[in-house]
Amino acid sequence: MLRRFNFKCTKCNHIEEQWVDHTDHFACCPECGETATRIISSVTSHFKGQGWPDADDKWARDHERAARK
């Protein structure tokens, strides 16, 4: 089964997203042809609906400010 993973070249540090089998931990760098290893990328999430504080929420701002102290 093919899945999409990010790979980083061990030589030129180029990062490329590729479709590979989930068991593949290495790929070929499209820039220089050297070995690229699979890396873990961050995931962006955005919660919507009631109960999730957002940037305009006074409660969230107050708690964030208190946590910094």
Side-chain angles (χ1 to χ4, degrees):
M1 172 188 285
L2 293 180
R3 294 188 179 164
R4 187 172 47 192
F5 292 102
N6 287 334
F7 288 86
K8 184 176 182 180
C9 179
T10 56
K11 183 178 180 183
C12 70
N13 292 325
H14 175 75
I15 296 177
E16 176 83 11
E17 186 177 76
Q18 296 183 17
W19 286 90
V20 296
D21 187 75
H22 72 281
T23 59
D24 292 341
H25 294 280
F26 302 98
C28 184
C29 176
E31 296 290 316
C32 68
E34 290 293 322
T35 303
T37 57
R38 196 164 80 184
I39 59 172
I40 298 173
S41 301
S42 61
V43 177
T44 304
S45 58
H46 182 78
F47 298 104
K48 294 184 177 183
Q50 293 180 344
W52 301 105
D54 60 7
D56 297 327
D57 189 358
K58 182 182 180 326
W59 180 89
R61 284 194 315 268
D62 291 345
H63 281 78
E64 185 177 325
R65 193 175 304 121
R68 288 189 202 144
K69 292 182 180 180

